[in-house]
């Protein structure tokens, strides 16, 4: 299995989440209010000086599905350039 971690601006939450659901990716875990600094956007630290936060989505998918999901994320990033969308995949091993 693979885990896809998707990070995006909290302000784009409804658009991003809806896009994944419409594409058939309905099983995910979401974490709200992540902060950090990226290479392609301004820092989002939840402070007066650096306002804003990020959300993260985690998708656990079979190995054979990760390429299709990554291609969807690339397309979504092009369609939502202000969302600050980034995605990373890594191996996943279920424990129970």
């Amino acid at each position: 299995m693979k885990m896809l971690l998707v990070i995006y601006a909290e302000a784009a939450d409804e658009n991003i989440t809806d896009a994944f659901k419409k594409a058939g990716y309905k099983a995910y875990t979401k974490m709200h209010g992540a902060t950090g600094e990226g290479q392609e956007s301004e820092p989002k630290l939840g402070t007066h000086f650096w306002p804003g936060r990020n959300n993260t989505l985690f998708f656990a998918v079979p190995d054979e599905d990760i390429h299709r999901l990554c291609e969807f994320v690339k397309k979504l990033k092009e369609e939502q350039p202000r969302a600050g969308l980034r995605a990373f995949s890594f191996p996943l091993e279920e424990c129970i």
Side-chain angles (χ1 to χ4, degrees):
M1 288 190 78
K2 299 281 188 189
M3 177 66 75
L4 184 73
L5 166 64
V6 181
I7 306 162
Y8 58 94
E10 188 175 58
D13 184 62
E14 189 174 333
N15 291 340
I16 298 297
T17 304
D18 286 350
F20 277 105
K21 287 180 181 178
K22 287 178 184 173
Y25 300 105
K26 298 178 182 179
Y28 62 86
T29 297
K30 183 188 293 187
M31 295 177 70
H32 297 268
T35 59
E37 298 182 42
Q39 295 177 343
E40 296 180 1
S41 63
E42 295 293 322
K44 291 182 181 64
L45 303 176
T47 66
H48 180 69
F49 191 73
W50 293 111
R53 293 183 185 272
N54 292 311
N55 285 345
T56 57
L57 295 173
F58 294 89
F59 295 90
V61 298
D63 288 344
E64 58 272 11
D65 293 347
I66 194 68
H67 179 72
R68 185 171 61 95
L69 183 53
C70 287
E71 289 301 315
F72 173 75
V73 172
K74 287 177 189 177
K75 180 182 169 200
L76 187 57
K77 183 174 179 162
E78 292 173 4
E79 293 171 358
Q80 304 275 333
R82 305 215 6 104
L85 189 68
R86 297 287 296 204
F88 306 90
S89 69
F90 47 92
L92 178 66
E93 194 171 314
E94 190 171 5
C95 296
I96 55 172

